[in-house]
Amino acid sequence: MPETDATSKQLDICTLPQELFLMILSSLQPPDVIRCRRVCKSWYNVFGNPSNLMPLLKKWYPLAKEVRELREKMIPSHLDLKDEDYYHWQRIFDRVISRYDHLARGQPRSTRVFSLCRDDNSSKWFRVPPWDSHGSHLSGRVDFIFKQAFWTYEDGLLVYPSSVHRSLVLLDLDTDATFVVPFPINNKVIRRVRIQDKLLVIEWAEPNVFHWLNDDDGVHRHFASSFDIRPSDEGWDITFRNEWKIMFLGHPLSDRDRFFSSHNNTHYAIYAWQPNRSLYTADEDAPIESLFVWDISQPSSYRPSLDPTGRQKEDEAGKGPTTVARFGFRDLGFYSVRQRGCPRILKLDINNEAGFE
């Protein structure tokens, strides 16, 4: 006997108990859930219902920005659609699925071109050079692997040097609003910019040599300036937190001298690597290495870049960044993390849960 409309309706997937429907839903690939809405109106309703979608989103992509925000706001998986905007949560689901689908296929969702600042008489951009060779790739150069860019991104926020504003700017990719970072780049050599945990750290150097090591090489004073990034009614507030001198004896501006760093909202770690320039004890396998960890949680108006003698530091005693750990090359050797002439370090990181690693 041919199926009647009533029989067909009884066999429709949309009429299954929610537990069974969710079991079927969870076995689909994420993009297929969205495609199922094209079948008919009833399928559109059940495959687009946020009460069915949000539990899957938390299961599939627990580390996605939107999912983390759901947890922070204590929003339950099963939404009461009488109180929530139906299409708002549906768009959140679709946006996350689309993003990770493009990532899995290695295809961009969109491409935008930005005009970046270039060197001029007032400011320069000299990134920290990458390793020429690395223990993980002994057969050739790996500088392209470790090459760093003068832009940084976190949770929809992009910071980059804009040629239009002649400054570092923060771009909110969700709203397309731009905010100028209150950091003058004139008379500075920018080495690196990085945003992490809504804290922007800019590492930079003075353009003039502070002390000469020999006839060819001189060291420049290097500093780090941090800025808190907080949401506001206008979009984002970018406020200065503190500044610190990142290496006591300075650092040469050369292709041979390197430093790598990391930070979270409260701490900053920096590893410095320099070739041995001694005329008597130079050894390619015995570079000068050090590792410092700073507590940068306390705000301070003191700027060491404006106080070469350090006399004003006494007025700020107990405030601002402080060194909480330091390791020389002997300490690094004791802990078996000294890199020597054939580095193997891949990443320097500060873990919010476990601290420094």
Side-chain angles (χ1 to χ4, degrees), residues 205-276:
E206 295 174 333
N208 299 323
V209 173
F210 181 75
H211 172 72
W212 288 98
L213 296 174
N214 51 43
D215 294 339
D216 300 320
D217 297 315
V219 298
H220 299 246
R221 295 201 307 164
H222 277 65
F223 304 91
S225 302
S226 69
F227 297 83
D228 286 296
I229 300 176
R230 300 187 180 95
S232 67
D233 294 337
E234 292 74 24
W236 296 95
D237 279 337
I238 308 173
T239 56
F240 175 80
R241 179 191 287 189
N242 48 39
E243 177 186 285
W244 63 99
K245 186 178 179 181
I246 58 180
M247 283 172 281
F248 177 72
L249 297 177
H251 200 77
L253 288 177
S254 76
D255 292 327
R256 298 189 298 161
D257 300 80
R258 301 165 174 84
F259 66 89
F260 300 93
S261 60
S262 179
H263 80 275
N264 60 12
N265 197 269
T266 59
H267 288 81
Y268 169 89
I270 179 171
Y271 163 79
W273 187 99
Q274 296 180 347
N276 192 330

Side-chain angles (χ1 to χ4, degrees), residues 52-303:
N52 296 329
L53 301 180
M54 301 316 288
L56 295 178
L57 195 62
K58 293 183 177 182
K59 174 184 176 181
W60 286 335
Y61 305 112
L63 299 181
K65 177 187 70 173
E66 294 83 353
V67 177
R68 286 187 279 115
E69 291 176 349
L70 290 176
R71 287 199 299 267
E72 293 171 359
K73 296 177 181 178
M74 303 297 290
I75 297 176
S77 297
H78 296 280
L79 303 172
D80 183 357
L81 298 182
K82 296 180 180 179
D83 300 325
E84 303 291 348
D85 181 0
Y86 183 99
Y87 293 104
H88 169 71
W89 297 111
Q90 188 183 97
R91 285 193 296 269
I92 288 180
F93 179 86
D94 294 355
R95 183 167 65 240
V96 175
I97 297 303
S98 175
R99 180 196 311 146
Y100 281 91
D101 180 55
H102 282 84
L103 286 172
R105 292 185 287 114
Q107 295 181 352
R109 287 186 295 169
S110 62
T111 302
R112 296 179 62 180
V113 179
F114 299 94
S115 179
L116 305 182
C117 285
R118 298 183 181 274
D119 289 352
D120 56 28
N121 295 330
S122 62
S123 61
K124 294 185 180 298
W125 306 84
F126 181 51
R127 61 171 55 89
V128 178
W131 299 113
D132 291 332
S133 59
H134 196 269
S136 62
H137 294 73
L138 297 176
S139 58
R141 296 178 62 89
V142 293
D143 49 347
F144 65 93
I145 298 177
F146 298 94
K147 187 176 181 179
Q148 301 183 46
F150 277 126
W151 58 267
T152 179
Y153 170 85
E154 182 190 42
D155 287 347
L157 301 178
L158 175 69
V159 177
Y160 70 97
S162 169
S163 64
V164 176
H165 299 84
R166 290 298 308 155
S167 178
L168 288 167
V169 300
L170 181 145
L171 172 65
D172 187 330
L173 296 177
D174 290 334
T175 63
D176 211 30
T178 300
F179 308 87
V180 175
V181 178
F183 177 80
I185 63 175
N186 293 338
N187 202 33
K188 293 181 176 64
V189 181
I190 312 300
R191 306 303 308 274
R192 184 189 287 116
V193 293
R194 181 179 57 249
I195 181 174
Q196 182 71 26
D197 293 341
K198 296 298 186 293
L199 182 70
L200 174 65
V201 170
I202 305 170
E203 296 165 334
W204 58 278
E206 295 174 333
N208 299 323
V209 173
F210 181 75
H211 172 72
W212 288 98
L213 296 174
N214 51 43
D215 294 339
D216 300 320
D217 297 315
V219 298
H220 299 246
R221 295 201 307 164
H222 277 65
F223 304 91
S225 302
S226 69
F227 297 83
D228 286 296
I229 300 176
R230 300 187 180 95
S232 67
D233 294 337
E234 292 74 24
W236 296 95
D237 279 337
I238 308 173
T239 56
F240 175 80
R241 179 191 287 189
N242 48 39
E243 177 186 285
W244 63 99
K245 186 178 179 181
I246 58 180
M247 283 172 281
F248 177 72
L249 297 177
H251 200 77
L253 288 177
S254 76
D255 292 327
R256 298 189 298 161
D257 300 80
R258 301 165 174 84
F259 66 89
F260 300 93
S261 60
S262 179
H263 80 275
N264 60 12
N265 197 269
T266 59
H267 288 81
Y268 169 89
I270 179 171
Y271 163 79
W273 187 99
Q274 296 180 347
N276 192 330
R277 290 178 169 85
S278 173
L279 297 175
Y280 308 101
T281 61
D283 183 354
E284 292 183 359
D285 197 42
I288 302 173
E289 301 178 63
S290 62
L291 176 66
F292 287 77
V293 182
W294 293 74
D295 183 337
I296 60 173
S297 59
Q298 296 300 316
S300 173
S301 60
Y302 175 70
R303 298 179 186 248

